Every structure is written in C-alpha cells, then in structure tokens.
Amino acid sequence: MTPGVTVWRCTACGSLFFPRRLLCATCHSPDFAEAQAVAARIEEITEIRHVLGQTHWAPRRLANVRTADGLAFTVGLLDGSQEGEEIALFQDGTAPFGRRLKESAA
Amino acid sequence: MGQGLEAAIVAVGQSRYVRRPEPGETTHTFIRDAILAALADAGMAASEIDGLAVTSFSLAPDVAIDLAWRLGLSLRWLHQDTNGGSSAMNMLGHAARGVHCGAARNILVVAGDATGLAGYAKIAANYNRATSDHLAPLGHGGPNGVYSLVTTRQMKAYGLEKSDYGHMAIAQRDWAAKNPFAVYRDPLTMDAYLAAPMVADPLTRYDCVPVVAGAQAIILTRPDAARGPHAPVHIRAVRNSFNFDNQRGDGLRTGISTFADDLWEAAGFGPDAIDVASIYDDYPAMVLAQLLDLGMIPDGDLGRFAREAIGRDRRPINTWGGMMSAGQPGGPAGGLNGISEAVLQLQGRAGARQVAGARRAVATGYGMTLYRYGGTAAAALLERAS
C-alpha cells in the first residue's frame, strides 16, 4: 500500500478526475497529468455487513470522501475514522483506502 | 417524440418469477416463456413479429440475433440494449420509433435474467472497469455499497428518517400482496422493517431488491393496426439521459431532471394527470429522487411525501409491488416490469390491484452505476386509447 491516491488533472483546464477519463469532461482535452491526492475529508460512511453469496464475510467500511480540491471518490477505511474527519489516503493497486491522519503519522 | 407518434403497446407477457430456478430453467427459457405469454396476450402468431429488442445481463455469449435464431424469428428490425435499469425504457423508445417510422410492424420487446445469486455477485463485482478497478477491491458488495452512501447523503440533505423509506417498502408490499407474480407477498410492518438485518448502513434487508429469475415481454404495433383484445396503450413521450453530470454531482438528482419539462410538454399533460406511476425502485432513495426530478413532489419535501402520499394515502406507485417485493430479475428486466404494470393498469387488467379509472401513467428507468451513482435515466408517459 503506497501513500496517496493517483488522480488525473487536465493539463488544459485543471479539472481533476478519479477514475481516469479519456477526455476531460470540462474542456474535452485528451491531455492529463498524474497528481497525488494525499488527504480528504469523510462525507459519508457505510459498513458492508452482508454480501450476496458470501457466507464468511468480514464487514468492511467504505466512505465517500472529498479532497480540498473538491474531488469526491470512494475509499475503503482502514480504521474507525468517522464522518467529518480528515483522513490520509493510500492506494493498493488501483484501489483507494484511507485512515486517520494522526495514526498515519504515527 | 410527441402525441403524433404512431406506436402503441398492445400486449404484455410475463414468465414466472422465482428466487431459485429449477434445473433446466435458464435466462433463455424464461425469456421464451414471457414471449409466449405476450404473443398469446396479443392474439398474435410468432410469424407476425418482425422486430425484436432484448436486454439481459445473462444472455451472453448469445446476443440478440442468437435469440432471434433460437426463437425462429425472421426480422427486419433488431436491437439489444445494455444500459441496465434504463434498458427497458431505451428499448421502448427505439421500438416506438421503429414502428412509427415503418421499420417494423410488430416489435417484441423482451427482458429477462436468471443469473443465480453467485452469477449476480460476479456481475456486480465486474459491472464496469471503474467497479472492478476501484470498488470491488474495497469489498463494496455491489450496488448496495454504492447506494448506501447515496441514501445517507439523501437523508442528510432532506432530513429523512429511516422510517420514511419504510413507508415505501410497506406500501409496495401491500401492492405485491395483490400480484400473484410477486415473490414476496406477506404484509410488512414498520416494526419488521426497522428491525430487519442491516446489509449496508443504512440499507436494511427490505431496502434491497431480492434477486430473482424471470422475464417480461411487451409487443408494440401501430395503433391503427391493433386488432388484439386489449385497448392499445399510446406512448405519448419518451425521453432519455445518459451521463448527464459526468459523476460530478452528489447522485441525489438523476438525468430525469434534464428532460422532465420537455417530457411533460411533449405529452401534453402534467404530473397532476398521472394515475399510476412505475418508478424504477432499485433503492427507495432513488424512487424519491426520480419522483422529485419528475416534478411529482412539488414542494420538494421528500419525507412528507413518503409519509403522507406513499404511507398514508397509498398513492399508486409501483402497484405491482416494485422490484423490492416482486423481485428484480436483473436490472434490465425489472425496468420492463414497471412498463408492463402500467400497461395492465391502463387496460384495466391489473386485477385486485387495479387503480380505478386509470388512464395515464408514467414509467421510469434508472441505472448503470458508473461509479458513485447511476449514469442513465429515462421516462415514458403512457395513455390509454380513449
């Protein structure tokens, strides 16, 4: 798991995207530069307690988060962080995760 | 598309709906059964069908032409839709225009699925690239995970209580009790609703559609050529929206908000004229969102509408029980069930759940969860021939 989540910034107009797009939804430029989102604030949380067809499911917590730039996406929570808290972002492969900033620093 | 559209729905057909198919029952056999029922309903021979539209999550590797072949249908119009919960509405629009333009005389529109629970879970985890790359690795649990977050957002934005959604589940269960095809027909109480096991906070068991196997079919033809036993149901207007906000919003509005005014204007009547509404109910929150976008909650008070219009007054919404009680045979077929129910209501054939004097209906589709919420929405306004 690596710190930060890779997002994409349109080099023509500066719009941010996650997931990646083929053309910018604002100006339709095809040119993007990778950027790192390192922190975000939790807006909503859910706990996935039951999944169809799974008999031995360990509940997972997911959150809708928003970066200071206004980009919203869904992350898996690695701890008990709560709505309204700012969390540090991580990436495991293509999947975004987050945990409390303080615990991340420790 | 306006009132001059020369296309009408003349027949509906449905297979049985089951939680677990019997050995030998497949998506193909459920679709066949629905088609046979629709043909019988129309008093039409299969050889009279010259157009076919199909949607299914589980037809693969077959596609529409394979289905035509298996059904022995020789066609001059063929369409397959892949847009989930709005597929049925998309097919309705394409078929209506096909009939109107003379591309085909009699178009069969069919939707069905028999994924099984394991098959559905596989589809949910691989719904699109964004899901398989960015959501499934989190253990998002399919659309329940996505719409649990949307529901929480709606509750905060509109001050809704959990029980507000319960009114919808309970009302639809009451309607389902009068629908012999519904898989769940036992009465549901608010206590039982609130005590149901949590699936994905705040969604509990009765907020999540039960996966079933089954299929639906309808037949469209020119109204002046309709010779079956049932009154043709005119398609006054159909409108669609795809990717209206690029997933940059909050998911509390749908693409219906982009075309609702145009839809009503094209039909020549407004929300007050609607007698029956089939609103795509993948989740209660999205029913309220679509009703709001249609202009059917004029004061924007979603909670009051849920408590009073749905809970107290039993406004005729999803009178077949909706997918929440009748079952969802894949999102595509669920959408066609709402259209079929509207047709039955307008033809006065809805049995114990018949809404007296129903003349005009609205039906919607919503779906294709791109990432944070659905990316497609559609609606049709239907009217019984006078």
Side-chain angles (χ1 to χ4, degrees):
Chain A
M1 198 166 289
T2 55
V5 169
T6 302
V7 299
W8 287 269
R9 184 183 298 278
C10 171
T11 56
C13 74
S15 297
L16 277 171
F17 296 96
F18 182 91
R20 186 175 195 169
R21 306 296 205 272
L22 297 170
L23 297 178
C24 172
T26 303
C27 71
H28 293 120
S29 165
D31 299 319
F32 295 90
E34 286 188 6
Q36 292 296 305
V38 297
R41 192 167 297 282
I42 296 174
E43 294 192 336
E44 293 92 24
I45 294 174
T46 185
E47 184 164 350
I48 313 298
R49 300 170 190 248
H50 173 75
V51 171
L52 207 59
Q54 298 282 338
T55 50
H56 302 291
W57 177 258
R60 324 278 176 90
R61 298 178 82 231
L62 270 61
N64 177 55
V65 302
R66 192 175 299 273
T67 68
D69 295 316
L71 185 63
F73 50 92
T74 306
V75 305
L77 290 177
L78 300 169
D79 59 12
S81 43
Q82 297 296 314
E83 186 178 311
E85 280 191 78
E86 190 169 16
I87 57 171
L89 298 173
F90 301 86
Q91 191 160 315
D92 184 6
T94 55
F97 289 89
R99 69 165 70 102
R100 281 193 184 98
L101 274 172
K102 281 182 183 175
E103 291 178 12
S104 303
Chain B
M1 190 179 296
Q3 286 185 286
L5 183 72
E6 292 297 326
I9 303 169
V10 294
V12 303
Q14 178 170 353
S15 75
R16 70 192 194 106
Y17 270 30
V18 292
R19 285 287 275 165
R20 287 171 178 75
E22 299 291 330
E25 286 187 316
T26 65
T27 296
H28 291 67
T29 64
F30 282 106
I31 284 177
R32 175 201 61 201
D33 293 347
I35 288 173
L36 288 174
L39 288 170
D41 196 49
M44 194 177 280
S47 57
E48 295 178 80
I49 296 296
D50 58 356
L52 173 68
V54 62
T55 184
S56 171
F57 281 147
S58 52
L59 194 63
D62 284 358
V63 293
I65 183 60
D66 297 292
L67 188 62
W69 173 47
R70 298 274 183 181
L71 292 166
L73 299 177
S74 298
L75 310 168
R76 58 179 184 166
W77 187 95
L78 185 65
H79 170 64
Q80 182 165 357
D81 208 283
T82 58
N83 288 287
S86 65
S87 288
M89 203 62 62
N90 297 341
M91 294 193 299
L92 178 68
H94 289 310
R97 287 183 282 268
V99 167
H100 177 78
C101 296
R105 288 177 299 129
N106 302 310
I107 295 181
L108 183 60
V109 175
V110 63
D113 265 309
T115 60
L117 299 186
Y120 178 84
K122 197 171 178 181
I123 291 168
N126 297 281
Y127 201 58
N128 63 2
R129 181 159 291 180
T131 299
S132 59
D133 284 354
H134 306 305
L135 293 176
L138 311 179
H140 82 309
N144 292 342
V146 173
Y147 290 96
S148 60
L149 293 169
V150 173
T151 300
T152 297
R153 201 144 59 236
Q154 186 182 63
M155 292 175 77
K156 288 194 295 184
Y158 292 93
L160 299 177
E161 302 290 334
K162 175 70 179 165
S163 59
D164 292 332
Y165 299 113
H167 291 295
M168 191 182 305
I170 293 165
Q172 291 193 190
R173 182 60 63 88
D174 284 353
W175 289 111
K178 301 170 184 171
N179 176 9
F181 285 97
V183 294
Y184 292 115
R185 297 196 287 271
D186 292 338
L188 179 64
T189 65
M190 185 61 85
D191 286 345
Y193 172 83
L194 293 173
M198 191 67 77
V199 176
D201 309 47
L203 302 178
T204 49
R205 174 181 291 162
Y206 299 112
D207 299 312
C208 303
V209 290
V211 175
V212 300
Q216 295 282 143
I218 59 174
I219 296 174
L220 282 78
T221 192
R222 293 182 67 88
D224 56 9
R227 53 171 175 68
H230 312 301
V233 170
H234 293 273
I235 302 151
R236 293 303 187 201
V238 183
R239 292 294 184 271
N240 307 69
S241 168
F242 306 97
N243 186 38
F244 83 108
D245 69 352
N246 278 291
Q247 298 281 296
R248 294 161 115 180
D250 55 15
L252 303 185
R253 304 308 295 260
T254 72
I256 292 172
S257 62
T258 67
F259 63 64
D261 291 346
D262 182 38
L263 178 80
W264 296 114
E265 186 178 344
F269 53 83
D272 290 346
I274 291 299
D275 302 303
V276 178
S278 291
I279 308 298
Y280 191 85
D281 62 323
D282 52 352
Y283 295 94
M286 299 322 299
V287 175
L288 293 176
Q290 291 170 84
L291 288 166
L292 181 68
D293 287 345
L294 282 166
M296 297 180 73
I297 309 179
D299 65 1
D301 189 334
L302 304 191
R304 186 163 63 185
F305 187 88
R307 291 187 296 273
E308 297 180 4
I310 296 176
R312 184 191 66 197
D313 301 339
R314 291 291 192 267
R315 185 83 55 90
I317 297 172
N318 293 336
T319 50
W320 49 291
M323 295 188 294
M324 287 196 289
S325 280
Q328 186 193 50
L336 194 52
N337 210 330
I339 297 171
S340 300
E341 172 68 8
V343 171
L344 289 174
Q345 288 283 354
L346 299 185
Q347 292 176 330
R349 297 198 287 149
R353 62 187 189 280
Q354 179 65 45
V355 175
R359 183 180 168 205
R360 290 170 173 147
V362 60
T364 72
Y366 169 83
M368 291 311 288
T369 305
L370 298 176
Y371 179 53
R372 296 173 61 236
Y373 47 87
T376 67
L381 298 175
L382 309 177
E383 186 172 26
R384 168 170 44 88
S386 55

